[in-house]
Amino acid sequence: MTEITDTTEVPEPGGSSEGKRPRKGGKRAKKGPMARLALFYRQIIAELRKVVWPTRQQLSTYTSVVIVFVIIIIALVFVIDYGLTEVMKHVFG
């Protein structure tokens, strides 16, 4: 009978390979703090250009919906608070 053995060697975790050098921070380590700050702001502007901004009509619609919702929640909290206050007055005199 023939035995089957696994001869594949797995490299140790954290160990470096023979032909590779460890990285030293990549591209960011080569730039100074002002260059990195400038890159950061350029990336912010690039991301803001991708944003789909609402039209004036959409913005006014969203704003009115939020205001109406807030008024409804304020009224609901007021009614619950007033009702609990009256119940406490009735119970404790």
Side-chain angles (χ1 to χ4, degrees), residues 65-85:
V65 166
V66 168
I67 290 172
V68 168
F69 179 75
V70 168
I71 289 172
I72 291 171
I73 296 299
I74 288 172
L76 181 66
V77 169
F78 175 76
V79 167
I80 292 172
D81 184 49
Y82 183 76
L84 289 175
T85 302

